[in-house]
Amino acid sequence: EAGVAQSPRYKIIEKRQSVAFWCNPISGHATLYWYQQILGQGPKLLIQFQNNGVVDDSQLPKDRFSAERLKGVDSTLKIQPAKLEDSAVYLCATKIQGYGYTFGSGTRLTVV
Amino acid sequence: DQQVKQNSPSLSVQEGRISILNCDYTNSMFDYFLWYKKYPAEGPTFLISISSIKDKNEDGRFTVFLNKSAKHLSLHIVPSQPGDSAVYFCAASASGSARQLTFGSGTQLTVLP
């Protein structure tokens, strides 16, 4: 079974620029999550999708962050404009059932 | 409001000895708990879990203990190996939350050869 694929692995941008991250989940996994992990902290949920519908985006800073999951498969997370405090690892995770997630390797974003 | 807390940012243990990582939670609705391990430049990987109907779950060298009255769980690794050196995250979920995971801040375990 292929894992959760994320790209790019690393991204450096200047503040106020925009950036997009991509996630390709495990085939058949209906539930998809985006987490933000700031250095020294645990992953924090940004948004949860069930197929192509949003289940929970209550912690997504909607003034600058947006996410979509077209056709219930791949997902993109966008930040526009980026701030210094957005520097973090952005993790995509999926699950098919049960309680545990499978995570991708993440995208490390540095905003300078 | 940190619902899942790992108060020890780091832990060093000699190879072959026991590693004990601790986690506390405040939300009484949590009924499922997991431990994830994370190596640098990789995503977290699932290690072991426990349901609130149990107080112990064992998988090889890894054992998780749950004390519901104290809202405390711990991960025991025996014997510890250098390859166990990683960041360990405690996570919890509740039945009414679409099974979203709430994570602690992690403990960096270093196993010294």
Side-chain angles (χ1 to χ4, degrees), chain A residues 9 35 42 48 56 99 101 104, chain B residues 32 36 41 43 89 99-101 104:
Chain A
R9 290 298 307 274
Y35 275 79
Q48 176 184 353
D56 184 358
Y99 307 98
Y101 301 175
Chain B
Y32 199 79
Y36 280 80
F89 290 103
R99 285 295 170 192
Q100 293 170 1
L101 293 184

Side-chain angles (χ1 to χ4, degrees), chain B residues 42-98:
Chain B
E42 295 183 13
T45 55
F46 170 75
L47 190 57
I48 192 169
S49 62
I50 188 167
S51 164
S52 60
I53 63 173
K54 295 185 175 181
D55 54 17
K56 176 182 175 181
N57 188 26
E58 191 171 354
D59 184 2
R61 297 186 297 113
F62 302 91
T63 303
V64 56
F65 295 91
L66 175 62
N67 182 335
K68 283 187 296 182
S69 61
K71 293 190 174 69
H72 177 83
L73 63 155
S74 60
L75 174 68
H76 293 210
I77 307 173
V78 183
S80 301
Q81 299 173 355
D84 297 330
S85 297
V87 176
Y88 289 78
F89 290 103
C90 171
S93 73
S95 61
S97 66

Side-chain angles (χ1 to χ4, degrees), chain A residues 60-73:
Chain A
L60 188 73
K62 298 181 189 62
D63 58 333
R64 299 184 300 106
F65 286 65
S66 64
E68 61 181 5
R69 190 181 184 197
L70 298 177
K71 300 180 181 178
V73 183

